[in-house]
Amino acid sequence: MPFGMNLWMLLGLGAVVLPPLIHLLNRRRYDVVDWGAMRFLRVGETTRRRLQLEQLLLMLLRMLLIAVLVLGLAAPFVEGEFVGPLAARLGERPNRDLAIVIDGSASMACRQGEGTAQQAAQRLALALLDELQSGDGVTLWLARQQPQPLLGEVTQDVSRARQALQHLPPPAGTADMPAAVQAALTALARGQRAERRVVILTDGQRFGWSDEQTLLRWRLLAARWREQRGQLPELRIVNVSPQRPEQPPNWSVTPLRAGRAVAARGQSVQFRAGLQVTGQTEFAPPFRLRIEIDGQPAEDLKLPAAALDKDGRIALDFRQRFSELGSHLVSLIVEPDPPPEQRPAGYVVKDWLPADNRADFALEVVPALPVLLVDGDEANPPRADGQRGSDFLRDALAPARDPQPAAVVRSVGIRDFTPELLTQSLSKDERGSPRVVVLCNVARLTPAQQEALTAFLARGGGLLITLGERADRTHYNSVLHAGGRGWLPATLDRVSGAELEPKDAVRPRPESFFHPALELFREGTVGGLSEARFRRWWKVQGGQSAGLLGNGDPLFVEKPLRGGRVLLSVVPLDNSWRSNLPDLPAFAPLIHELVYYLAGTRAGSFNLQPGEPLLPPTNESAGERVLLAPDGSSRRLPAGTSPLVEAGRSEPGVYRLAAGGQTTYYVVQTDPREAVLTAATAEDREAVRQLLPLTYADDPHKLSWQDGGGKLDLWPAVLLGVVLLLCAELWLTRRIARHRS
Amino acid sequence: MPSSRLQFDPTSLAKYGRLTMIARGIVEGFLAGVHKSPYKGFSAEFAEHRQYYPGDEIRHIDWRVWGKTDRHYVKEYEEETNLKAYLLVDASGSMAYRGRHASKFDYARYVAASLAYLMLHQRDAVGLAIHDHRARPPLAPRAHSKHLLRLVHALEQTQPGGETSLAPLWHQLAAQMKQRGLVVILSDCFDDLPALFRALRRLRHRRHEVILFHVLAPEEVEFPFQKWTQFRDLEAPAQKLLVDPLQLRRAYLKNFAEFQEELRSQTGRMQIDYHPMRTDEPVERALGVYLTKRQTQR
């Protein structure tokens, strides 16, 4: 009979020698009494035998009691195919705790046959609940980017579990399965049952189960559990879509990106995305590809005719202008298959997972961007030609003859740069405090100025630093960079090049312009950025390069901070050092791109990764707000609530914040890898199984507790034995005590 | 070698009033004392007058009566006789048991000395026989006050020990005691009971009044031991018994109670005054209480 127990606990059986040992020790440690009444000590033979028998019996009872107690602590069990049915027939099945983890990722919406994978999981989970008997416990978890407790604690109220299963949220985003399993294990560990099981209902997708990142998480989970808990409950993995092919046909849209998250009214914004096609041998164009602005149909895109690249992708881009101020939602939607009523007979569906057929982007349209230019020129009055370096930037951003400039610019000298300028409105028409500050060839900052800029960046502001002749290397390195603790992206090395040697001038390298602010200039055009010549430039060390010069030196270096962003230009963005940059047609677009990119820092909080908190907009109106979540649920939020959705709680999709007649959009992006429905191979599954002692139960019908893996705990019987032995010991002890008295 | 100095303080009995050791029966003797004598004669205490008959001693004629009545009467005196008491002190090995209090032998000899003092004080003759493993001659009863010192000395010189059979000694003593008297036995009686009873019966048969002071230690009565204990026989040190007292207690107490009950009932039948004494009770108190009770029962 296949018995089992914790063999280490059996070492405790050594404790059975304690009663005889105590007896012997007592015999060794005796008193000596010279006694006269010896005749009364000599009891009869019968009495002597009775006393000896009683003592022997008592000792044996105590030894047996210890042995049975140790046996109970070793958690004995018997297992085998006969155990489950036997226990069920006897009606003596011990109570158990069950944790059900349901994959809540977007791939669970994959249609196959009559329903989705999630519906299959729902049916299986309900069947599992049917098997529970009175006294059994259950906990329910939905595996998402953050594990969601449907029933976080082990409860014996099965009706609550049924109710929770009936109202499963629609699949969305990705699933962190190890985190969900960990949460379920922690919940089970708080329960009291010896027999515990975790059933994981998933669709067998490789991503989220055995990809590299998930394997690492499984490894961490296994290590943590080994350190903390020791013995894992039984883990069963059920593929709710066993018939799904290894590579199901699917169309999806990769995340939508824009050159800028903030745009001026009427400004053209370029959007880029891609179509990801998997599981199809031949490419057939989708039925429709359309754009929605704020949920309203805008226009259809031309259907791509190009073949797929080696990764099965087709790049898409389009431009869009926005005439209305405020927050806008741009959506790209692909419809691979015609509506069912338009499908011809025998039509083969190209897309099994409709949930990933759209991509969204939240864009902020502003009237004009408030920009503060701080010029390093201390000469007062300005130079003889009447021009300062910052004037080139001012002219690029807000030309004097432009009635509706893209930016509201204020230019001040370094001496006049006070901290108050960063919090006050730049102009009389109340267009707001600066969102971008440009330090134009500034030599050094006072501590107050430096502190004010640090606070400005922490609030999400953008800072552009242009280096030039005046930059004080020592000050920049020791104070502004401060070994990486400051906000300066790189340390200044030296000024390179010669102003009088035009042949040594360097040009930008457009092919290195992958940065969103420079993407526009990657293709060399007449008058483009590639024609700029820099006779002198600062060589810098460290930081993230955002574009290179022809000699490989960085042209721009970036440092993303917790709040805002800092871009460092190694050349002055004016005509000093005999640069031809301001003369190029690309100069004004370059300054626009840089400034709008930096302004988009704050707008970046509208396009989020799963789990990131939703923060209220800075210009929010007073009064009550209503937040509409991707799953359709809405919440009323009192004014001042921040964050709107806490970190770790945001789900992929579009959130809409309605306040004061205006809607602010938040887009939580989906991981594009979730659209790859490739199933985990046998090797993938084995890789996870080697980390954790789990069982793959591919046949959902064999999920029953009474199947081959049945296990019957023997501890209740052992406990009964302990109680009986205790009673016997008590009875005998009292009997002996009665004799003694 | 003297076993120990007998810390005997006769004045400690004084607090129980004027105690006397009085025999319940009539004792034979001719010395003045507190005990009644069956003989009437000429003594210090006047009893009655009778007519003179020839042959009577002339010196006993009451001349005052002759002067008043002109008849010859002689005076008769009720003779006060002394008591001949024998103190039998058990000095067997078991009497050496010493618990948390004085040993039983110390207790017994203290009682014996106290009784001797009392009886000598009332001009009774007191003899002493100490029973130990050696045969030693008893001290014959004497009423002289200096006899007390001899008695005390003899008690001091005795060391309890050895295995002693009391019955033969008592038989022997009964044969030696020609005159009726008082026999006071101080013993734990840890001996063969039937033999003891036969010896006691013989003493009673010879018309002696017998008082049995059953000297016991409280440990022997209560058996309070808890831990494993090795009991070594005081009369035969080679005999040892390692037992768990808690197991044996019930059987021990049963045996002991039966023993004591047997002793009490048999001595009752023989009209022997049986009085148990515990060594945790002060001697003077135990003796005082006993003697007071005895006086009231006279």
Side-chain angles (χ1 to χ4, degrees), chain A residues 23 26-27 29-43 51 55 738-740, chain B residues 97 190-191 219 223 228-234 239 242 244 246-248 250-252 255-256 259:
Chain A
H23 176 78
N26 279 339
R27 280 187 66 117
R29 293 163 54 195
Y30 55 82
D31 292 340
V32 177
V33 173
D34 291 323
W35 187 247
M38 291 295 283
R39 52 189 299 170
F40 308 121
L41 292 174
R42 295 189 182 96
V43 294
L51 290 174
Q55 289 302 312
R738 223 171 26 243
H739 274 292
R740 286 174 178 173
Chain B
Y97 176 71
F190 292 165
D191 202 348
E219 289 84 358
F223 203 63
W228 277 78
T229 309
Q230 186 186 63
F231 291 98
R232 292 195 303 204
D233 196 341
L234 280 164
Q239 287 190 19
L242 180 61
D244 179 4
L246 292 174
Q247 285 182 44
L248 276 181
R250 186 182 171 90
Y252 173 91
N255 289 344
F256 185 80
F259 163 78

Side-chain angles (χ1 to χ4, degrees), chain A residues 344-428:
Chain A
Y347 180 79
V348 179
V349 175
K350 289 188 287 189
D351 181 35
W352 285 22
L353 181 60
D356 56 2
N357 288 0
R358 68 178 288 153
D360 301 284
F361 191 84
L363 183 86
E364 185 186 6
V365 177
V366 294
L369 199 64
V371 178
L372 178 66
L373 304 176
V374 181
D375 199 294
D377 189 358
E378 294 180 356
N380 195 13
R383 288 185 288 178
D385 58 3
Q387 271 201 330
R388 294 196 295 195
S390 61
D391 292 346
F392 291 92
L393 294 170
R394 184 198 60 203
D395 292 344
L397 289 169
R401 293 177 186 172
D402 190 347
Q404 286 188 330
V408 178
V409 178
R410 181 168 177 188
S411 180
V412 295
I414 184 64
R415 286 185 176 175
D416 301 326
F417 174 40
T418 59
E420 292 75 26
L421 287 175
L422 296 176
T423 53
Q424 292 171 352
S425 184
L426 287 187
S427 58
K428 293 176 183 173

Side-chain angles (χ1 to χ4, degrees), chain B:
Chain B
M1 286 293 288
S3 62
S4 61
R5 184 85 185 156
L6 181 57
Q7 299 295 321
F8 173 58
D9 179 14
T11 59
S12 62
L13 288 168
K15 60 184 171 185
Y16 294 96
R18 187 169 174 275
L19 296 175
T20 52
M21 181 59 185
I22 300 168
R24 280 186 188 147
I26 304 299
V27 296
E28 300 169 35
F30 296 96
L31 297 175
V34 294
H35 312 286
K36 285 189 178 177
S37 168
Y39 308 109
K40 289 188 175 64
F42 304 97
S43 182
E45 193 74 15
F46 172 77
E48 61 184 348
H49 286 97
R50 71 172 170 83
Q51 197 171 356
Y52 173 77
Y53 296 102
D56 289 338
E57 286 190 39
I58 296 172
R59 63 186 176 109
H60 289 309
I61 294 173
D62 192 339
W63 295 111
R64 285 186 182 177
V65 175
W66 175 76
K68 290 179 182 173
T69 63
D70 204 17
R71 290 181 183 181
H72 289 91
Y73 284 89
V74 292
K75 279 178 162 179
E76 278 199 335
Y77 295 88
E78 190 171 52
E79 188 67 58
E80 276 190 326
T81 60
N82 67 332
L83 171 72
K84 280 198 175 177
Y86 296 90
L87 300 172
L88 273 58
V89 179
D90 182 2
S92 62
S94 64
M95 289 292 283
Y97 176 71
R98 178 191 299 273
R100 286 186 300 173
H101 306 88
S103 77
K104 290 192 288 183
F105 180 71
D106 285 344
Y107 196 88
R109 66 183 184 176
Y110 196 105
V111 173
S114 300
L115 289 173
Y117 169 79
L118 283 175
M119 288 190 285
L120 286 171
H121 190 66
Q122 62 198 33
R123 297 184 186 178
D124 290 332
V126 180
L128 175 67
I130 301 175
H131 307 318
D132 61 4
H133 60 288
R134 287 185 302 161
R136 63 175 77 191
L139 290 175
R142 295 284 184 275
H144 196 278
S145 61
K146 289 184 180 175
H147 189 54
L148 180 63
L149 289 177
R150 290 179 60 199
L151 296 177
V152 170
H153 181 71
L155 286 168
E156 282 180 348
Q157 289 298 314
T158 305
Q159 178 100 12
E163 192 169 7
T164 306
S165 191
L166 297 172
L169 295 170
W170 291 358
H171 275 294
Q172 188 184 344
L173 203 63
Q176 290 173 1
M177 292 160 64
K178 302 296 182 189
Q179 193 177 347
R180 282 190 290 172
L182 178 66
V183 178
V184 179
I185 301 172
L186 293 150
S187 171
D188 57 10
C189 299
F190 292 165
D191 202 348
D192 181 27
L193 276 185
L196 278 186
F197 292 145
R198 279 196 296 277
L200 288 173
R201 207 168 285 124
R202 185 170 181 192
L203 282 170
R204 286 296 295 149
H205 183 70
R206 296 186 69 100
R207 313 287 295 277
H208 293 296
E209 182 177 354
V210 180
I211 300 171
L212 174 59
F213 286 116
H214 194 196
V215 183
L216 296 167
E219 289 84 358
E220 290 170 339
V221 179
E222 296 165 359
F223 203 63
F225 305 100
Q226 301 281 332
K227 294 169 64 179
W228 277 78
T229 309
Q230 186 186 63
F231 291 98
R232 292 195 303 204
D233 196 341
L234 280 164
E235 297 189 358
Q239 287 190 19
K240 298 171 184 172
L241 200 58
L242 180 61
V243 295
D244 179 4
L246 292 174
Q247 285 182 44
L248 276 181
R249 185 164 187 269
R250 186 182 171 90
Y252 173 91
L253 292 177
K254 180 170 171 284
N255 289 344
F256 185 80
E258 286 174 359
F259 163 78
Q260 201 174 17
E261 185 53 35
E262 175 79 3
L263 201 56
R264 192 191 302 274
S265 65
Q266 288 294 333
T267 51
R269 275 184 212 147
M270 287 183 268
Q271 295 185 323
I272 292 172
D273 200 358
Y274 171 81
H275 184 70
M277 283 182 152
R278 287 169 56 123
T279 56
D280 57 345
E281 191 177 17
V283 171
E284 54 277 12
R285 182 174 176 275
L287 208 50
V289 169
Y290 172 70
L291 292 177
T292 307
K293 183 179 161 191
R294 187 177 169 82
Q295 270 183 320
T296 57
Q297 289 176 349
R298 188 181 180 186

Side-chain angles (χ1 to χ4, degrees), chain A residues 398-687:
Chain A
R401 293 177 186 172
D402 190 347
Q404 286 188 330
V408 178
V409 178
R410 181 168 177 188
S411 180
V412 295
I414 184 64
R415 286 185 176 175
D416 301 326
F417 174 40
T418 59
E420 292 75 26
L421 287 175
L422 296 176
T423 53
Q424 292 171 352
S425 184
L426 287 187
S427 58
K428 293 176 183 173
D429 56 356
E430 300 294 333
R431 286 186 177 174
S433 57
R435 293 183 65 165
V436 178
V437 174
V438 185
L439 295 180
C440 306
N441 198 5
V442 169
R444 60 182 66 79
L445 296 171
T446 66
Q449 291 168 337
Q450 188 198 348
E451 195 176 328
L453 279 173
T454 304
F456 171 72
L457 287 168
R459 292 195 299 272
L463 178 62
L464 176 63
I465 305 164
T466 66
L467 299 177
E469 187 69 39
R470 285 190 288 269
D472 181 346
R473 184 170 67 106
T474 309
H475 175 77
Y476 272 63
N477 290 346
S478 61
V479 178
L480 303 184
H481 186 265
R485 295 186 303 279
W487 39 255
L488 189 68
T491 56
L492 275 53
D493 188 3
R494 60 188 166 82
V495 178
S496 197
E499 197 172 340
L500 300 177
E501 296 292 341
K503 66 177 189 309
D504 294 336
V506 294
R507 293 185 177 193
R509 186 187 288 176
E511 55 270 28
S512 68
F513 292 170
F514 287 99
H515 190 271
L518 302 175
E519 228 175 0
L520 189 65
F521 310 102
R522 193 159 56 202
E523 293 174 9
T525 53
V526 177
L529 193 56
S530 58
E531 292 184 3
R533 291 190 187 84
F534 303 111
R535 297 190 183 187
R536 300 188 74 188
W537 68 97
W538 273 93
K539 286 181 90 70
V540 296
Q541 303 286 336
Q544 293 178 12
S545 174
L548 299 175
L549 292 170
N551 62 354
D553 287 347
L555 174 59
F556 294 101
V557 184
E558 183 177 17
K559 180 168 188 174
L561 298 170
R562 197 170 166 187
R565 292 183 189 137
V566 183
L567 259 180
L568 175 67
S569 168
V570 301
V571 293
L573 298 180
D574 55 27
N575 64 350
S576 58
W577 286 349
R578 299 196 178 189
S579 165
N580 68 338
L581 182 64
D583 303 331
L584 295 174
F587 177 70
L590 172 67
I591 302 304
H592 277 245
E593 290 297 315
L594 290 175
V595 166
Y596 272 91
Y597 168 73
L598 290 170
T601 305
R602 204 181 295 171
S605 58
F606 301 118
N607 293 285
L608 305 159
Q609 295 302 311
E612 287 186 341
L614 267 66
L615 300 172
T618 51
N619 58 347
E620 67 170 334
S621 56
E624 195 178 57
R625 299 162 296 174
V626 178
L627 183 69
L628 191 67
D631 59 3
S633 63
S634 62
R635 259 192 317 148
R636 291 187 179 280
L637 302 170
T641 305
S642 181
L644 305 171
V645 177
E646 290 182 2
R649 299 279 179 191
S650 58
E651 289 294 326
V654 178
Y655 287 84
R656 293 171 173 83
L657 179 72
Q662 289 189 334
T663 301
T664 305
Y665 296 95
Y666 294 84
V667 175
V668 181
Q669 301 288 355
T670 307
D671 192 323
R673 290 175 295 177
E674 183 62 31
V676 182
L677 296 175
T678 309
T681 62
E683 291 78 19
D684 293 331
R685 288 152 49 124
E686 180 60 20

